Amino acid sequence: MQYALIIRESADDFKRREDPTYKNSWIAYTQALVQAGIMTGGAGLTPPETATVVRRRGEDHDVQDGPFPEGKEQLGGFYLIDVPNLDAALEWAVRVPVSKDGSVEVRPRLQM
């Protein structure tokens, strides 16, 4: 079964991405997923201020630079993993090197 590990980071975490120790912890985690043969995709994302949001307004669309999240956590990236069950996905989720201000959401992939 495929699961998305959705990574949420704080604004400070986005700034820490240039720190070699922080960066290397993510590289090591990604390598562990690859070596386990369960990673099927994923990507880190640029900071929220680089985004563009498109919202439907009736039949029209509104385009706006950058989301304006009210929470402390912002979408930082995701991994797609293929594991037997939710318990296995959670075992990998607790290993994600998020800071104390971040979180990992584990969500099953919609089967179409």
Side-chain angles (χ1 to χ4, degrees):
M1 180 147 193
Q2 287 191 333
Y3 290 88
L5 304 182
I6 302 166
I7 313 301
R8 292 198 170 76
E9 298 178 278
S10 69
D12 288 339
D13 291 336
F14 277 95
K15 293 175 188 168
R16 290 179 54 209
R17 288 180 170 187
E18 297 304 315
D19 172 34
T21 302
Y22 187 71
K23 186 176 184 177
N24 288 338
S25 68
W26 286 96
I27 292 170
Y29 179 75
T30 302
Q31 289 173 339
L33 290 172
V34 171
Q35 289 172 351
I38 63 170
M39 186 169 160
T40 62
L45 300 173
T46 58
E49 59 270 14
T50 65
T52 303
V53 177
V54 178
R55 297 186 195 283
R56 182 176 295 278
R57 302 286 185 223
E59 294 299 315
D60 295 324
H61 293 87
D62 181 28
V63 179
Q64 174 182 0
D65 287 339
F68 299 97
E70 294 181 17
K72 292 191 281 186
E73 297 178 345
Q74 301 151 1
L75 183 59
F78 65 96
Y79 290 97
L80 294 175
I81 60 172
D82 194 350
V83 291
N85 53 44
L86 177 59
D87 288 337
L90 293 172
E91 288 176 17
W92 282 97
V94 299
R95 295 175 58 183
V96 174
V98 293
S99 73
K100 62 179 177 53
D101 297 321
S103 68
V104 180
E105 178 182 339
V106 178
R107 190 182 300 184
R109 185 177 146 228
L110 181 63
Q111 303 297 314
M112 303 286 284

